[in-house]
Amino acid sequence: MPANGTSKTYGVDSSSLVDWLEATVPAGCAVQADIVERVLSGVACADDDPIDNEAWVSTDGRFRLGSLSGAWGKPEAVYIGHAARAAARVRRLAEIAGSLAQLSEELTAVQAKAERLVLDREQADEEWRLAPPDEALRGTHMAATAAAVTARLASEKLADADTRCRGVEQALKASRELRAADAMDLRLPEMPDALPAVEAALDHYRDAQARLEQAAHEFRLALPDAQRQRTRELEARSDVKQREEDLAATRIEMEDASARLDVLRETVGAKVEELQQQLTEAREAVRTGEAVLKLAGDTLRKAGEARAIAGQQAETANVVLQERGEARAQTISKLQQFAGTGLLSAGLPHIELPDLGSPWTIDPALTLARRAEQELSHLKDDEETWARVQRQTAEELTELQRALGALGHQAQADPSDWGFRVDIVYQNRRERPDRLAKRLAEEIAQRGELLSAKERTVLENHLQAEIAAEIQRLLQAAERQVDAINAELHKRPTSTGVRYRLVWQPLSEEEGAPVGLDVARKRLLNTSSDLWSAEDRRVVGEMLQQRISAERERADSSGGKDSGGTLLDQLARALDYRHWHRFRVERWQEGHWRKLSGPASSGERALGLTVPLFAAVASFYSQGSYALAPRLMLLDEAFAGIDDTARAHCMGLIREFDLDFVITSEREWACYAELPGVAICQLQRREGIDAVFVSRWTWDGREKKAEADPDRRFAPA
């Protein structure tokens, strides 16, 4: 663009700005036109940057001046030449005139709106003054809202009842179809009226089967005795037969001996005495055999008598066994009928009953009877106890009927041969008290789950508005406070160059922290509550719900000794974020932050515990709005266990942190060169004197001086 503002076309092969710009020098200017042209000729102007030129500019706005390069452009020439400046001035004046006109129009419109607003306000005030009271309208609205809620609840109950009715009808239809199919499969009548005859026949069959089983069982028990008796009889018969055979053999031998005796008497006379002796022995053997035979006969007779007696006893035992079996079966049937009334379950709810749908056998009935006897062994069964129980039952029944009648329920008592049974009418159905208690317990548990869900919903809704935002604000404020303390610590290292920092870290779950604290803490610290997603709200809500539940369980388990205070106190303890964290002091050592409990001298550890406290106090006072206010710190028995060198350094840190202090100590006077001034009061007393002597001193950084008591009434002597 030429300096006079007119357009001019140049070729792309121009080598300097003198070919693109025309210098116009005003009259009286000290700089000549040729000087300006020489300066322009020193700036290269081409599409590509020539390396040998110090300055270069292209037609598309790129430029280079030495090592500095860049690009820039403007839609039109500004402030180059008189014509361009005049055009820019005219254009700016036109823009200002347009803006003034627009502002005038807007001001007129705003004034008109203000006048209209004044009129509307006056009209609104007049309408409000003349309007009737809104109490009736508000009451009507509340009644309509309540009626709408009642109608909605009634419609929901009706829909629920219709759904249950349809489900019951479908179940009834399915039950009838199943009954018909089962009756066809079992070859039984489908109608219930025909079932009593089948049931009676079945009961008769079961009774016959039970008697048959009982007879078989008794026969099986008596069979071993009969077999033993038969074995003994066979053994006795075998012994008799053996004795008869021995007797026959003895008689044959006796006859042979007699024959031989006769022969010998005839043939050998000399051996008569010997033969007589043998004959005597033979006779003795015969007598012995006869005695044995007689004994065997007696044994056989006694065995027969014992067999007859055993048979009679077995027959008597069978009769007794059958009678006792029938009595036991009747007792088991009565016990089953008694258990069917529900009185046994009500009295002993923890005892499991056999199946009431089928007849009980001996083992389950005997087990039940023994357990019941064991459970009731501590109860008395005399007449006095029976009368007291009857009287107490009547009183408790009266009290139960009175209490249930006040709530709109009924308790019906039915005496029977088995006892005194009470049923409670609940929802138009008679329920046993134990079953009703179990049903009510299940209903309470369901409602408890419903209340827990509603409580969780209320907590989540309230969490969005207040709790999470407040905890987030407190956590962030605590983080800022810790950062401020660490900034104070970083600015003031110890004389040996040791630095400390304060770490505020969450506890672990083993140390009592809430479940999910790490994840919830990241969301609380790093994300605004307005930007939380559904997952963020779920995580934070579960963590806070767990804390509230744990605090409630702790209050409930205290048993009244520590009830946990009011609900507000419980919530305050549950949501106290300070109980979720702990402070640690770390020391910078060997290029790393290490725990203060690591290897270190006692002085370093004492400094590690003292310096962060000074920094915390200084950070607290730095937040105040009064820069010249006292920065007071109270120390009681401070620096115990620290040597004088470390104490002097601590006093220097007090000055470094610009703190004022009041200290009580048994031996510490704070007379250290690190402190520019200290006021000291030394208290002394003696046993038996009810007075305390106060001596006053001052320390100016170099020496300690005694001071007079300003409250002394008399001058010292």
Side-chain angles (χ1 to χ4, degrees), residues 189-201:
E190 182 178 352
M191 293 294 101
D193 298 338
L195 291 179
V198 178
E199 186 176 3

Side-chain angles (χ1 to χ4, degrees), residues 619-631:
S619 174
F620 173 77
Y621 282 120
S622 298
Q623 299 175 0
S625 58
Y626 299 98
L628 301 179
R631 299 160 63 89

Side-chain angles (χ1 to χ4, degrees), residues 145-209:
T145 304
V149 172
T150 304
R152 180 176 57 81
L153 294 177
S155 61
E156 291 178 356
K157 291 182 179 179
L158 178 61
D160 189 14
D162 291 339
T163 303
R164 291 199 302 270
C165 181
R166 288 193 294 271
V168 172
E169 290 177 352
Q170 294 177 359
L172 178 61
K173 182 179 179 182
S175 299
R176 289 178 176 174
E177 294 176 354
L178 180 61
R179 184 187 65 185
D182 292 343
M184 184 178 296
D185 294 339
L186 298 175
R187 297 180 181 180
L188 294 175
E190 182 178 352
M191 293 294 101
D193 298 338
L195 291 179
V198 178
E199 186 176 3
L202 182 60
D203 292 339
H204 180 70
Y205 171 74
R206 288 175 179 173
D207 294 340
Q209 183 182 7

Side-chain angles (χ1 to χ4, degrees), residues 459-460 463-464 468-469 472 515-545:
L459 177 61
E460 291 176 355
L463 174 67
Q464 299 176 4
Q472 183 181 45
V515 178
L517 174 61
D518 293 337
V519 180
R521 188 172 183 271
K522 292 179 181 178
R523 286 170 168 80
L524 287 170
L525 288 177
N526 301 329
T527 309
S528 174
S529 59
D530 297 333
L531 302 178
W532 281 356
S533 62
E535 178 65 18
D536 296 338
R537 299 182 185 278
R538 185 189 65 80
V539 170
V540 178
E542 288 181 355
M543 188 269 291
L544 295 179
Q545 184 70 28

Side-chain angles (χ1 to χ4, degrees), residues 199 202-203 206-207 209-210 213 329 332-340 353-365 368:
E199 186 176 3
L202 182 60
D203 292 339
R206 288 175 179 173
D207 294 340
Q209 183 182 7
E213 290 178 355
I332 292 175
S333 177
K334 291 180 180 179
L335 179 61
Q336 184 175 3
Q337 294 175 8
F338 175 69
L353 299 180
D355 185 14
L356 297 174
S358 59
W360 290 357
T361 58
I362 298 175
D363 293 338
L368 176 62

